Amino acid sequence: MKVVIVGGGVIGLLSALVLAQAGCQVTILEKNAGAIESSWAGGGIVSPMYPWRYPPAVTALAQLAQAEYPLLAQQLFAMTGINIELNACGMLMLEAEDQRDALVWGQQYQQQLLPLSAKDISQLSPLLANFKTGIWVPHIANVRNPLLLSALMQAVTQLGVCYRNHTNIVSWHKINNRIAAIESSTGEKYTADAFVITAGAWTGQILNLLAINMPVNPMKGQMILYKLPEQKLKQIVLHQGHYLIPRQDGHLLCGSTLENTGFEKQTTDEALALLQKTANRIMPLLSQYQPIKQWAGLRPASPNGIPYIGRVPQFSNLWVNAGHFRNGLVLAPASAKLLADLMLCRTPCVNPEPYQII
Ligand SMILES: Cc1cc2nc3c(=O)[nH]c(=O)nc-3n(C[C@H](O)[C@H](O)[C@H](O)COP(=O)(O)OP(=O)(O)OC[C@H]3O[C@@H](n4cnc5c(N)ncnc54)[C@H](O)[C@@H]3O)c2cc1C
């Protein structure tokens, strides 16, 4: 089967990987010079933050994806030699007001969530400020998402996938209920047996061209980066919706903002000040350092954060895998698998109903 995928972020790349491994002939069309949008900008935590606050549809994909990540990391390393730095460093969630709900959720889903006292917290992570309560989730990992993207790019290329940069899809050609071709802003037409939209925050815009309304909207997130001489913090730390993510080489991320400002993605001084204040509040040592970088990305926000995965009912050969909001890196391996299962008429890896496009 010949498949054209529109959008070359983590969702497009992983969808291509799974489809190419199943024998499909895949082309990815990407409007930029590579995967430099949300998938690059993200923090790389591969669990939802406050996982108990998400609907079961997100948990189902997240659990499947968490089990897949170590295999994916090994597979990518074997194929490309790139270590995506999957680091199961654990996540410390501080002073969550709904700690009780968290513990109930942990029991329900057999996830290890351990309540901590102030003393436990300072023993686990001595450089943090004083916090009264916390929850420790030991198995949670993060990946270095730019490395994941580079590895995926090389892996799909090895499998014969064609990744075309600077190809902005602006129109559709349809015959009855089939998509016959899509067209780029420079007039090139692409035909295929099946088309998949993985265009992140731009998915709603692209489908609008077919008079299809899908509520996936951009939600800006800003992030700052520190470089410490060595790794001082061992765990991911979450407090009042903001987080610190340590990398093994001393880099440390602090994120993020949640801004409903359309498709603009300028960084702002206000966000810089907020994130610096947050970083210093969580780990006072950081007040001795200045951030070395600040950036912004556009999350593909869908209602309740449940992605759309499936066929667009109005067309027999148009598919979507988009709207992963804050959890695109978390969910990508499972969401690509579900898409491929549906496209190739295999038994779906999870119940597909909650992700259906109506
Ligand atoms: C600050 C921040 C922190 C985050 N932290 C995390 C985290 O820790 N963990 C996590 O799981 N998620 C996180 N996320 C969310 C995560 O990054 C997204 O959910 C995920 O990257 C979405 O992947 P995607 O491939 O759908 O979108 P994108 O990476 O945005 O890819 C979509 C691609 O489609 C292309 N495209 C759009 N329109 C067209 C067109 N017309 N023609 C051709 N190509 C087109 C775009 O150029 C883009 O490359 C974070 C996001 C931000 C911004």
Side-chain angles (χ1 to χ4, degrees):
M1 178 163 59
K2 194 173 158 195
V3 181
V4 164
I5 294 179
V6 181
V10 71
I11 301 296
L13 282 163
L14 258 159
S15 301
L17 183 78
V18 180
L19 288 167
Q21 282 170 332
C24 297
Q25 186 192 331
V26 184
T27 300
I28 300 177
L29 305 176
E30 167 52 53
K31 71 179 162 76
N32 287 322
I36 55 171
E37 294 290 353
S38 192
S39 303
W40 182 91
I45 306 174
V46 293
S47 159
M49 299 188 291
Y50 307 111
W52 60 91
R53 295 181 192 168
Y54 281 91
V58 171
T59 305
L61 286 180
Q63 289 196 323
L64 186 61
Q66 277 161 358
E68 291 268 327
Y69 255 107
L71 303 173
L72 178 66
Q74 275 173 20
Q75 186 192 359
L76 291 176
F77 185 71
M79 288 179 81
T80 68
I82 297 175
N83 175 1
I84 64 168
E85 296 187 16
L86 178 72
N87 179 14
C89 59
M91 180 149 75
L92 185 51
M93 298 182 238
L94 298 167
E95 295 179 344
E97 66 275 14
D98 50 357
Q99 182 152 329
R100 233 169 222 273
D101 297 344
L103 300 175
V104 171
W105 181 91
Q107 280 191 334
Q108 187 187 346
Y109 286 98
Q110 290 160 1
Q111 300 280 310
Q112 208 181 359
L113 264 67
L114 306 169
L116 299 185
S117 66
K119 192 171 158 215
D120 298 331
I121 296 166
S122 67
Q123 275 174 356
L124 184 68
S125 202
L127 289 176
L128 296 184
N130 292 327
F131 291 99
K132 291 192 185 74
T133 60
I135 300 175
W136 172 231
V137 195
H139 64 273
I140 289 180
N142 72 84
V143 289
R144 223 149 159 171
N145 35 316
L147 292 177
L148 171 65
L149 295 169
S150 302
L152 283 170
M153 194 83 84
Q154 284 194 27
V156 297
T157 306
Q158 281 178 29
L159 291 171
V161 173
C162 171
Y163 190 105
R164 290 186 71 96
N165 285 327
H166 303 299
T167 307
N168 184 14
I169 295 308
V170 292
S171 66
W172 300 89
H173 297 267
K174 51 182 180 164
I175 301 172
N176 300 322
N177 72 336
R178 273 188 78 74
I179 302 298
I182 50 180
E183 191 169 332
S184 73
S185 53
T186 49
E188 289 127 338
K189 286 198 182 102
Y190 298 87
T191 57
D193 302 309
F195 296 84
V196 183
I197 309 300
T198 58
W202 294 267
T203 299
Q205 267 188 352
I206 296 184
L207 287 172
N208 263 337
L209 299 169
L210 285 168
I212 292 167
N213 178 28
M214 180 175 283
V216 175
N217 297 304
M219 191 67 79
K220 182 163 91 170
Q222 299 192 49
M223 191 91 95
I224 58 173
L225 178 70
Y226 292 89
K227 175 76 177 83
L228 310 190
E230 60 191 359
Q231 187 182 1
K232 297 277 188 193
L233 181 70
K234 300 292 179 207
Q235 310 81 9
I236 301 163
V237 180
L238 189 56
H239 184 231
Q240 294 176 348
H242 293 112
Y243 50 78
L244 299 179
I245 307 172
R247 305 296 198 208
Q248 287 155 335
D249 64 359
H251 281 103
L252 191 148
L253 297 156
C254 177
S256 59
T257 61
L258 199 57
E259 302 167 66
N260 190 357
T261 51
F263 283 96
E264 68 80 19
K265 51 169 198 160
Q266 295 296 312
T267 56
T268 61
D269 290 344
E270 290 77 16
L272 175 63
L274 168 80
L275 294 174
Q276 264 190 290
K277 198 171 153 199
T278 300
N280 299 344
R281 184 186 70 226
I282 299 176
M283 186 170 150
L285 174 80
L286 289 174
S287 56
Q288 295 172 23
Y289 297 88
Q290 283 302 312
I292 57 166
K293 202 165 171 177
Q294 179 184 10
W295 64 83
L298 299 176
R299 305 176 185 93
S302 51
N304 300 321
I306 302 177
Y308 294 97
I309 308 166
R311 188 171 62 78
V312 176
Q314 294 88 330
F315 293 95
S316 61
N317 63 340
L318 178 60
W319 301 80
V320 172
N321 188 4
H324 299 73
F325 201 5
R326 306 195 79 167
N327 292 310
L329 295 149
V330 179
L331 305 178
S335 143
K337 198 159 189 267
L338 176 60
L339 175 82
D341 289 344
L342 296 172
M343 288 180 73
L344 302 173
C345 301
R346 303 188 302 212
T347 306
C349 56
V350 294
N351 173 10
E353 262 176 51
Y355 321 100
Q356 269 171 7
I357 299 140
I358 300 163

